[in-house]
Amino acid sequence: MEESRPLDVAQQLTSTGDMDPEDLRRYGHQIVDWIADYLKNSRQYPVLSQITPGSIRLALPAKPPEQPEPMEQILADFEQTLMPGLTHWNVPGFMAYFAITSSGPGILGEMLSSALNVNAMLWRTSPAATELEQVALDWLRQMLGLPKPLFGVINDTASTGVLYALAAAREAIPDLAIRQKGMAGRPELPRLRCYTSEQAHSSVEKAIITLGIGQEGLRKIPTDSEFRMDVAALERAIEEDLAAGWRPFAVVPTIGTTSTTSIDPVPAVADICERYGLWLHVDASYAGSAAVNPDLHWILAGCERADSLIVNPHKWLFVPIDCSVLYTRKPDVVKAAFSLIPEYLRNAESQGDEVPNLMDYGNALGRRFRSLKLWMVLRYFGQEGLAARIREHLRLAQLVVKWVKETPGFELLAPTPFSTVCFRVHPQGLDDEAKLDALNERVMNRVNEAGHFFLSHTKLHDKYTIRIAIGNLHTNEQDIRALWAELQNYAQSELKVITSA
Amino acid sequence: MEESRPLDVAQQLTSTGDMDPEDLRRYGHQIVDWIADYLKNSRQYPVLSQITPGSIRLALPAKPPEQPEPMEQILADFEQTLMPGLTHWNVPGFMAYFAITSSGPGILGEMLSSALNVNAMLWRTSPAATELEQVALDWLRQMLGLPKPLFGVINDTASTGVLYALAAAREAIPDLAIRQKGMAGRPELPRLRCYTSEQAHSSVEKAIITLGIGQEGLRKIPTDSEFRMDVAALERAIEEDLAAGWRPFAVVPTIGTTSTTSIDPVPAVADICERYGLWLHVDASYAGSAAVNPDLHWILAGCERADSLIVNPHKWLFVPIDCSVLYTRKPDVVKAAFSLIPEYLRNAESQGDEVPNLMDYGNALGRRFRSLKLWMVLRYFGQEGLAARIREHLRLAQLVVKWVKETPGFELLAPTPFSTVCFRVHPQGLDDEAKLDALNERVMNRVNEAGHFFLSHTKLHDKYTIRIAIGNLHTNEQDIRALWAELQNYAQSELKVITSA
């Protein structure tokens, strides 16, 4: 399409408007074809980018473009310069952290949202976006088997959601007037404490820091042999803190912890929260989505008693990032923590309670039309289709578990309640922990360098642990078998390096 | 495409994978055509949705879909059920709040980002996304005429950015150890105070609430006759507070306030910040982008001394929401406020300083590939193309100013440094302020109900003020002339209603 260039630029130089819709149509078709081909052939890309730090930066001009540039050239540079520097997340070989999927219906939804560019801050600034958000989140609630009423809003990430939830928890503490008076320089205030487990996601601690409660205001409760919060230890900690003059205010158990996907005993934690008057926030960011499979409704046991709960459809429900759902049974408290309506945002509907203005339920004012992609994904797959996909990921994970258990020289390091397998290479006779750590790190790096798969690690009981996180819709049994073959292969070759060192 | 339905659903029922890439191609092409037609014919839609609260919710099924549904049906429902409930932001008649644009190159960028679905939390999780973010933000810095070094990160909204900036400001207070110990229950801490103007955006106050500093910890400085922060009053307030034992820690002036787009005197505020050791955060969310026009570099005077600065390319630089840039001269302080690296996110590059891991500069861990759309917009229009568009919006606003000044019965209520005009209908002989407020509210509502335009209001010196915010790339002189004709028309007809009442 070389001939289009001068035209393109000439139009830009004389127009003060947008790209001509016919040009947008032409490039849009070109990009749709590129996307379809990319997803079709995604096994050809090295999953983890192998470039050296700084090389993309150096390959791009240091000075900004003065004149308009032809879209053909921009797309060519995207392909030639940027693509080699991308780590590919939406491919079958991505099994690091938690594998996610931008599914077809999700991509289509994002296309529409980006063209509409609506901001769902107030009901009136896009009634359909506000009401669809409420409807889609009520559908998801039903799919997860949770009782109503449950108010939901979509945020960008679970880090944002837990920040809002714990801000609400802080607001719910009676008589402290923190919203108005703040916390500093008030000798009458007690020190505040929130509780989570040693295995909780770092976002809980970040939220506590941001809220001004401080790292010492988060107490990390030990976990049992299966990495679940020790509820007796939680209760002891609360009693100790009360005796020492702390004010406990919230507990954050996790359903599907980041390292091992463990399930904290939420019902028992809920008992304690009720007894001591604490806000119960459940972090089900990763695993919550699995409950769309009715066989797994049990994983959310106790969540019907939670004050707030996070489930991320962008994690394991095939919705493109970002789409993190914060549910709460106390929307009034969340609103009390955040609502602030300046004159320029007042309108007839902002006075009453007939419709929500979703900006009232968090710190961010602007809100993308994220419910559209969620709605399209829920409908396109349907609950049964979504459940079938979750079941398939569970099946693939159990295959890996079986292989790890059956194969000498491999060792499972945690239970596998969902689709993430934690294991290590552990050759018979090699029991030096430092050497085992080094061996496993080398094996994982070899896999990552080979380019077919991307794995990440954690540490469990101080042991270097390799994780296989299955969750991308394109991953199939052949991929898992190929990964397992690679792991066995590198385990052998790297063992030689380690033992000869 | 009726015949595709059974095939579509049948495939969903047997597959455990994603939508077939060929289906994605087909629907993708269909949606691209829809988008091009939508933007071409966007004048046909009522800008402000006229539906009644709850009607979208009622039109959608209360129960979630059990079975997969055909994409044709989903797209038909989008068009028939959702479209009438949308307020249209990406159209020429949108002049409420601040008008924004999702431009052609921005839409194309979002399409690619949504398919790639990369998360730029760590350098390694997408080197190209991290490095492109640095390069594109350095280009933007140069376009704005700001000196280096200036570290930039993209957030979803300015509300998030100011939260991070003020968290860094809090972290920068020496010896208080708030990150570790928090603020509650520490009698040794002083009460903290941040300063902004009475005209500042509500997000400053929300951030102060979220950070646990409390509404009383934000002092709103009066403004002069042109709605600019009164610097002498600022200094008096700081002196008063110091004498009363408060600890001042930050000042937030605005370049382009929300109501009137006024420009606070940043150089004078910077002097005060230096004298008293306060963090200077400049909110240039709306107007900062205008400085891509070199004639307007002066608006950012003083920003070279700011500790942090926000400019929103999703506001007036034609990038789809969300894309808000937080610049800082003190990235180490922002990092000190937020960085927290759990084991499962450690890797070779997270140890050193060779490349940034952008998750370290805020509360949110997950980060969409937002730099791609920004890079595509900057290149497609080029600095000269962007500047020409800003100049055109300024020209259109000055046309409106001229009409308001020349036309009896209209009154300008604030200066117009950018492209937002604040005025009211003020018929000769009608000086009852309550009646004038009622008249102007009625006139604005009539415009909004007619559907060609969407305007919003503010209050200035307690007077109901209509705002015309020009900023969408599709808005042209004809639109402005048509809007002016409507305003004159409704001013006359509503005056009759008011005076006969």
Side-chain angles (χ1 to χ4, degrees):
Chain A
M1 294 200 171
E2 190 70 18
E3 74 282 9
S4 70
R5 290 187 191 187
L7 190 76
D8 216 38
V9 171
Q11 189 247 337
Q12 282 315 307
L13 281 172
T14 54
S15 156
T16 51
D18 193 6
M19 175 186 269
D20 184 278
E22 293 311 320
D23 284 342
L24 177 59
R25 192 188 306 272
R26 187 157 50 94
Y27 297 124
H29 284 308
Q30 193 177 320
I31 288 178
V32 164
D33 284 331
W34 186 90
I35 291 172
D37 293 341
Y38 169 73
L39 293 175
K40 206 167 184 170
N41 305 316
S42 64
R43 281 181 180 78
Q44 78 182 42
Y45 299 99
V47 186
L48 177 65
S49 174
Q50 301 296 322
I51 63 157
T52 52
S55 59
I56 299 290
R57 187 170 42 77
L58 288 172
L60 295 167
K63 296 228 167 256
E66 282 179 28
Q67 301 293 325
E69 297 187 57
M71 186 50 69
E72 294 290 342
Q73 184 59 50
I74 300 169
L75 295 177
D77 289 349
F78 163 73
E79 187 127 23
Q80 285 150 34
T81 308
L82 299 184
M83 278 293 281
L86 286 176
T87 291
H88 295 279
W89 285 67
N90 204 15
V91 301
F94 189 103
M95 302 185 205
Y97 316 112
F98 285 122
I100 61 179
T101 310
S102 181
S103 65
I107 293 169
L108 299 173
E110 283 285 36
M111 285 170 63
L112 288 169
S113 293
S114 72
L116 295 165
N117 210 35
V118 306
N119 187 338
M121 57 188 190
L122 296 167
W123 178 84
R124 73 156 38 195
T125 63
S126 232
T130 295
E131 296 193 13
L132 186 65
E133 191 160 329
Q134 302 303 291
V135 171
L137 296 188
D138 195 62
W139 284 4
L140 181 60
R141 173 194 66 74
Q142 294 177 62
M143 287 182 173
L144 299 174
L146 291 167
K148 62 175 180 180
L150 196 56
F151 183 88
V153 286
I154 301 178
N155 295 309
D156 57 344
T157 64
S159 307
T160 298
V162 68
L163 178 73
Y164 295 173
L166 293 177
R170 189 181 64 182
E171 182 68 20
I173 308 172
D175 305 326
L176 300 191
I178 290 174
R179 175 182 161 123
Q180 191 200 333
K181 294 173 182 291
M183 295 185 285
R186 297 180 61 199
E188 76 276 20
L189 289 196
R191 292 192 74 187
L192 306 179
R193 264 250 165 100
C194 172
Y195 304 82
T196 194
S197 95
E198 289 172 352
Q199 293 290 322
H201 191 262
S202 54
S203 57
V204 180
E205 189 167 345
K206 272 208 179 186
I208 288 292
I209 293 171
T210 302
L211 292 167
I213 291 164
Q215 285 174 292
E216 291 177 7
L218 182 68
R219 188 157 172 180
K220 294 180 186 172
I221 304 300
T223 54
D224 67 14
S225 62
E226 297 194 353
F227 308 101
R228 297 170 301 200
M229 188 189 281
D230 175 342
V231 182
L234 169 66
E235 187 157 17
R236 281 196 304 275
I238 293 169
E239 287 289 348
E240 252 176 48
D241 287 350
L242 284 169
W246 290 85
R247 176 69 169 86
F249 75 104
V251 186
V252 185
T254 309
I255 293 173
T257 56
T258 310
S259 283
T260 62
T261 74
S262 301
I263 304 172
D264 284 339
V266 175
V269 173
D271 289 343
I272 289 181
C273 286
E274 274 168 27
R275 198 170 324 140
Y276 293 93
L278 313 182
W279 185 279
L280 173 59
H281 174 72
V282 179
D283 178 3
S285 308
Y286 157 68
S289 297
V292 297
N293 174 2
D295 302 347
L296 291 182
H297 277 170
W298 64 269
I299 65 169
L300 296 180
C303 290
E304 72 285 353
R305 297 159 71 190
D307 297 291
S308 53
L309 164 72
I310 291 179
V311 176
N312 281 4
H314 71 206
K315 269 222 163 63
W316 199 9
L317 213 60
F318 323 126
V319 176
I321 53 169
D322 42 10
C323 184
S324 171
V325 176
L326 174 64
Y327 282 119
T328 180
R329 282 180 209 289
K330 296 183 175 163
D332 288 350
V333 179
V334 180
K335 195 172 168 180
F338 286 109
S339 181
L340 198 67
I341 307 174
E343 181 61 36
Y344 47 80
L345 296 176
R346 283 185 202 282
N347 61 72
E349 307 88 31
S350 69
Q351 322 297 338
D353 282 330
E354 195 176 5
V355 285
N357 291 307
L358 295 177
M359 67 166 195
D360 285 340
Y361 300 87
N363 182 77
L365 171 59
R367 309 183 76 259
R368 294 171 69 231
F369 190 4
R370 300 189 187 98
S371 56
L372 185 59
K373 59 185 174 184
L374 174 63
W375 178 72
M376 288 174 69
V377 167
L378 295 182
R379 291 189 65 182
Y380 182 75
F381 294 114
Q383 178 157 15
E384 291 192 12
L386 294 167
R389 284 160 178 80
I390 297 287
R391 275 195 296 271
E392 174 67 1
H393 292 166
L394 300 175
R395 186 186 74 82
L396 295 176
Q398 287 307 317
L399 261 186
V400 179
V401 168
K402 182 166 164 284
W403 297 333
V404 170
K405 284 182 174 167
E406 287 175 358
T407 311
F410 284 84
E411 179 183 17
L412 205 64
L413 293 180
T416 308
F418 297 106
S419 65
T420 300
V421 185
C422 293
F423 69 100
R424 68 171 175 176
V425 181
H426 189 168
Q428 227 182 349
L430 182 65
D431 289 315
D432 178 319
E433 288 295 336
K435 280 193 176 166
L436 282 170
D437 282 2
L439 172 63
N440 279 278
E441 187 169 4
R442 293 184 68 99
V443 169
M444 191 183 80
N445 288 343
R446 287 292 302 273
V447 170
N448 290 346
E449 284 158 17
H452 306 108
F453 304 98
F454 175 25
L455 305 180
S456 64
H457 81 288
T458 190
K459 281 197 175 166
L460 296 177
H461 300 312
D462 230 34
K463 295 169 186 164
Y464 195 98
T465 305
I466 304 177
R467 291 166 76 265
I468 295 180
I470 297 166
N472 184 274
L473 273 190
H474 308 99
T475 308
N476 62 33
E477 188 172 326
Q478 268 181 304
D479 296 307
I480 304 290
R481 289 188 180 275
L483 168 60
W484 184 245
E486 275 199 21
L487 280 165
Q488 288 180 291
N489 188 7
Y490 294 131
Q492 286 198 338
S493 60
E494 295 307 309
L495 177 59
K496 283 183 198 143
V497 178
I498 290 281
T499 49
S500 70
Chain B
M1 293 200 172
E2 191 69 19
E3 76 281 10
S4 69
R5 289 186 191 187
L7 190 75
D8 217 37
V9 171
Q11 189 245 337
Q12 282 315 308
L13 281 170
T14 55
S15 157
T16 50
D18 193 6
M19 175 186 269
D20 184 278
E22 293 310 321
D23 285 341
L24 177 59
R25 192 188 308 271
R26 189 157 50 93
Y27 297 123
H29 285 307
Q30 193 177 321
I31 287 178
V32 164
D33 284 331
W34 186 91
I35 291 173
D37 293 341
Y38 170 73
L39 294 176
K40 206 167 182 169
N41 305 316
S42 63
R43 281 181 180 77
Q44 80 182 43
Y45 300 98
V47 185
L48 177 65
S49 175
Q50 301 295 324
I51 63 158
T52 52
S55 59
I56 299 290
R57 188 170 41 77
L58 288 172
L60 295 168
K63 294 227 168 256
E66 283 179 26
Q67 301 292 325
E69 297 189 57
M71 186 51 69
E72 295 289 342
Q73 185 59 50
I74 299 169
L75 294 177
D77 289 349
F78 163 73
E79 187 127 23
Q80 286 151 31
T81 308
L82 299 183
M83 278 293 282
L86 286 176
T87 291
H88 295 278
W89 285 66
N90 204 16
V91 302
F94 189 102
M95 302 185 204
Y97 316 111
F98 285 122
I100 60 177
T101 311
S102 182
S103 65
I107 294 169
L108 299 173
E110 283 285 36
M111 285 170 63
L112 289 170
S113 294
S114 72
L116 294 166
N117 211 33
V118 305
N119 187 338
M121 57 188 190
L122 296 168
W123 178 84
R124 74 156 38 195
T125 62
S126 232
T130 295
E131 297 193 12
L132 186 65
E133 191 160 330
Q134 301 303 292
V135 170
L137 296 188
D138 196 62
W139 285 3
L140 181 60
R141 172 192 67 74
Q142 294 177 61
M143 287 182 172
L144 298 175
L146 291 168
K148 63 175 177 180
L150 196 56
F151 183 87
V153 286
I154 302 177
N155 295 309
D156 58 344
T157 65
S159 307
T160 298
V162 68
L163 178 72
Y164 296 174
L166 292 177
R170 187 180 65 182
E171 182 68 21
I173 308 172
D175 305 326
L176 300 191
I178 291 174
R179 175 181 161 123
Q180 190 199 332
K181 293 173 184 290
M183 295 185 286
R186 297 180 61 199
E188 76 276 19
L189 289 195
R191 291 193 74 187
L192 305 180
R193 264 253 164 99
C194 172
Y195 304 83
T196 195
S197 95
E198 288 172 353
Q199 293 290 322
H201 191 263
S202 55
S203 57
V204 180
E205 189 167 345
K206 271 208 179 187
I208 287 292
I209 293 170
T210 302
L211 292 167
I213 292 164
Q215 286 174 290
E216 292 177 6
L218 181 68
R219 188 158 173 179
K220 294 180 186 172
I221 305 300
T223 55
D224 66 14
S225 62
E226 298 194 354
F227 308 100
R228 297 171 300 199
M229 187 189 283
D230 176 342
V231 182
L234 169 66
E235 188 158 17
R236 280 195 304 276
I238 292 170
E239 286 290 347
E240 251 176 49
D241 286 351
L242 283 169
W246 291 84
R247 176 68 169 88
F249 75 105
V251 186
V252 185
T254 307
I255 293 174
T257 56
T258 310
S259 282
T260 61
T261 73
S262 301
I263 304 172
D264 284 338
V266 175
V269 173
D271 288 344
I272 289 180
C273 286
E274 274 167 28
R275 198 169 324 140
Y276 293 93
L278 312 182
W279 184 280
L280 173 60
H281 174 74
V282 179
D283 177 4
S285 307
Y286 157 67
S289 296
V292 297
N293 174 2
D295 302 346
L296 291 182
H297 277 170
W298 66 268
I299 65 170
L300 295 181
C303 288
E304 72 285 353
R305 297 159 70 190
D307 297 292
S308 54
L309 166 72
I310 290 179
V311 176
N312 281 5
H314 71 208
K315 269 220 162 64
W316 200 9
L317 213 60
F318 322 126
V319 176
I321 53 170
D322 42 9
C323 184
S324 171
V325 176
L326 173 64
Y327 282 119
T328 180
R329 285 181 205 290
K330 297 183 175 163
D332 288 350
V333 179
V334 180
K335 196 171 168 180
F338 287 108
S339 180
L340 199 66
I341 307 173
E343 181 62 35
Y344 46 80
L345 295 176
R346 284 185 201 280
N347 61 72
E349 306 88 29
S350 69
Q351 323 296 336
D353 282 330
E354 196 176 6
V355 286
N357 290 307
L358 295 178
M359 67 167 194
D360 285 340
Y361 299 89
N363 182 77
L365 171 59
R367 309 183 76 258
R368 294 172 69 232
F369 190 4
R370 300 188 188 100
S371 57
L372 185 60
K373 60 186 173 184
L374 174 62
W375 178 72
M376 287 174 69
V377 167
L378 295 182
R379 290 189 64 182
Y380 182 75
F381 294 114
Q383 179 157 14
E384 292 192 12
L386 294 167
R389 285 161 177 80
I390 297 287
R391 276 195 295 271
E392 174 65 2
H393 292 166
L394 299 175
R395 186 185 76 81
L396 295 176
Q398 286 308 317
L399 262 186
V400 179
V401 168
K402 183 167 164 283
W403 298 332
V404 170
K405 285 183 174 167
E406 288 175 358
T407 311
F410 283 85
E411 179 183 18
L412 205 63
L413 292 180
T416 308
F418 298 107
S419 65
T420 301
V421 185
C422 293
F423 69 100
R424 67 171 174 176
V425 180
H426 188 167
Q428 228 181 348
L430 182 64
D431 289 314
D432 179 319
E433 288 295 336
K435 280 195 177 167
L436 283 170
D437 283 1
L439 172 63
N440 278 278
E441 187 170 4
R442 293 183 69 98
V443 169
M444 191 183 80
N445 287 344
R446 286 292 301 273
V447 171
N448 290 345
E449 283 158 18
H452 306 108
F453 304 98
F454 176 24
L455 304 179
S456 63
H457 81 288
T458 189
K459 283 197 174 165
L460 297 177
H461 300 311
D462 231 34
K463 295 170 185 163
Y464 195 97
T465 305
I466 305 178
R467 291 167 76 265
I468 296 180
I470 297 165
N472 184 274
L473 273 190
H474 308 100
T475 307
N476 61 33
E477 189 173 324
Q478 268 182 304
D479 296 307
I480 303 290
R481 288 188 181 276
L483 168 59
W484 184 246
E486 276 199 21
L487 280 164
Q488 288 180 291
N489 188 10
Y490 294 131
Q492 287 197 337
S493 59
E494 295 307 310
L495 176 60
K496 284 182 198 142
V497 179
I498 289 283
T499 48
S500 71

